[in-house]
């Protein structure tokens, strides 16, 4: 979720986690004030019908390596990461027993992993950790490794709202094997076997620099990027990672096409 | 020029207009305070070595239809439009004797026509007159006909600085025959027979929605746009309108490629 997620998106997460049978764990590691963030999401998930909701406070690597954390996570059907600073998530959880367990639980299909804003960014193979939006250049973006729940994908969030296309272009021009995925606020990608479906009120902008015929990245100054592909995908669209191919939804009814 | 043009770009304009032999006419119709804009550009063009520089104050359609305006323009080797509001230019000059004469002078190659910000936008076949940058949607952009010095091109300016890609995407998704050209500040396109060269310190972002396999524009809500092409072109790159093809400059020297 690209930040500012509404009830429709959070409700879908609860539903996927089992609705009344869901056991949701909220992790606010990214937040500077985890207590506030936990409280807000516990209330919202309760209101949206989740059976059980609890917070798991992980603000140190010691906590993330403790058996208590694993015990809580093993009982979960849904795990949700709040927004904040994605580098707090990688710094506190990266390489810990919690990190390993989360991958195990997600890979086995035993939990639904959700996150918004920083909680979405950290799922990337490579995440954007900062950068301005003036110009496409090597120094217009800072990147770092994410927790790699989505390898070969580079997620940016609050995408349209903060005018972040240039920083996403700056990142994928340097690493064209990473697919750039910019998620608007109140918008999400729901990942499946080979790609994702778009949900929510905004759009997901996909930048495929793998298609570029020529890319030149000088150490300073503007990048040249020729022939990249861009897709703007609102709810209902899907994207296949194999072949990097968008599908914009079912064809419109004949009567509309004839109008 | 995409706004905030530095001396290198304005100097190139003076040079193309004939340097010491140049007779430059400044038209500040777009500006809300034309006197200030005229004064600033007269000083800068003088300092950059233009032989003669004068302003032509066109703030009414009567003035734009008067023979005095034509007399001034016929003596010019360079005509420069300042920034401001592009709709003032089309409102005051559109369809007047000045408009007709400007096309005649440009088509015959007798003058170099330059402009910055609004003065560049108005040269488009279709110009963007407003819009926000949140989301790619039909109502995210307002457009209107430009004075069509560059048919089939839709210019946006202050491009990276104001995060305008979404409004450019919103425009070309609706009119994919128009090539979207976003010019950064202190950056310009120099048009030739079949396309343009990029000059200046920033980049020109070209969006080619003609390449899109599928475009869906609902009356409200986000647009779906699949398979558009995007090129980010800094100084030294050229773009051919025929075939909508970018050239990113001469190949790098062998030793660099081997490094």
């Amino acid at each position: 979720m690209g930040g500012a997620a509404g009830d429709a998106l959070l409700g879908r997460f609860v539903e996927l986690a089992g609705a009344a049978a869901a056991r949701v764990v909220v992790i606010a590691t990214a937040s500077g004030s985890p207590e506030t963030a936990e409280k807000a999401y516990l209330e919202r998930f309760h209101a949206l019908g989740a059976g059980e909701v609890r917070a798991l406070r992980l603000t140190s690597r010691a906590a993330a390596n403790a058996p208590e954390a694993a015990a809580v996570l093993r009982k979960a059907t849904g795990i949700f990461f709040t927004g904040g600073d994605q580098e707090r998530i990688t710094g506190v959880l990266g390489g810990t027993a919690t990190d390993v367990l989360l991958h195990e639980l997600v890979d086995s299909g035993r939990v639904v992993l959700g996150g918004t804003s920083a909680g979405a960014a950290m799922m990337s193979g490579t995440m954007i950790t900062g950068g301005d939006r003036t110009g496409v250049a090597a120094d217009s973006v800072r990147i770092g490794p994410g927790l790699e729940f989505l390898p070969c994908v580079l997620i940016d969030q609050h995408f349209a709202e903060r005018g972040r296309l240039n920083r996403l272009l700056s990142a994928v021009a340097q690493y064209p094997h990473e697919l750039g995925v910019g998620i608007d606020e109140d918008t999400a990608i729901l990942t499946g076997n080979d790609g994702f479906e778009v949900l929510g009120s905004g759009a997901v902008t996909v930048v495929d620099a793998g298609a570029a015929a020529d890319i030149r990245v000088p150490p300073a100054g503007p990048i040249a990027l020729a022939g990249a592909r861009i897709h703007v995908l609102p709810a209902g669209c899907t994207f296949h990672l194999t072949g990097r191919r968008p599908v914009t939804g079912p064809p419109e009814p004949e009567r509309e096409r004839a109008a």
Side-chain angles (χ1 to χ4, degrees), chain A residues 8 18 48 51 53 87 97 100 104 132 148 181 197 217 223:
Chain A
L48 290 164
V53 191
E87 290 186 287
V100 174
E104 191 188 308
D132 57 40
E148 300 187 40
V181 175
E197 181 189 342
V217 183
I223 285 172

Side-chain angles (χ1 to χ4, degrees), chain A residues 60-228:
Chain A
S60 69
R61 293 182 63 83
N65 276 316
E68 291 78 5
V72 170
L73 293 173
R74 284 191 187 283
K75 281 185 222 143
T77 60
I79 299 172
F80 189 86
F81 279 82
T82 72
D85 179 351
Q86 47 266 46
E87 290 186 287
R88 263 196 220 112
I89 301 176
T90 53
V92 171
L93 301 191
T96 64
T98 290
D99 182 3
V100 174
L101 178 59
L102 284 171
H103 279 275
E104 191 188 308
L105 294 171
V106 170
D107 291 347
S108 68
R110 270 147 59 202
V111 301
V112 175
L113 181 68
T116 187
S117 193
M122 70 83 175
M123 293 189 200
S124 302
T126 302
M127 64 185 188
I128 292 182
T129 59
D132 57 40
R133 62 179 170 79
T134 57
V136 176
D139 58 2
S140 280
V141 65
R142 291 195 312 278
I143 57 175
L147 292 186
E148 300 187 40
F149 293 99
L150 290 170
C152 296
V153 166
L154 195 154
I155 292 176
D156 206 354
Q157 3 77 40
H158 302 282
F159 193 70
E161 292 75 13
R162 300 190 188 171
R164 287 179 158 173
L165 194 109
N166 276 1
R167 79 178 203 178
L168 188 59
L169 283 168
S170 303
V172 297
Q174 295 176 78
Y175 304 98
H177 54 293
E178 301 280 324
L179 186 78
V181 175
I183 310 178
D184 290 354
E185 292 182 358
D186 191 32
T187 305
I189 61 171
L190 176 61
T191 59
N193 283 335
D194 175 45
F196 58 80
E197 181 189 342
V198 179
L199 309 174
S201 63
V204 170
T205 303
V206 176
V207 183
D208 177 5
D214 192 16
I215 305 177
R216 289 164 195 235
V217 183
I223 285 172
L225 172 65

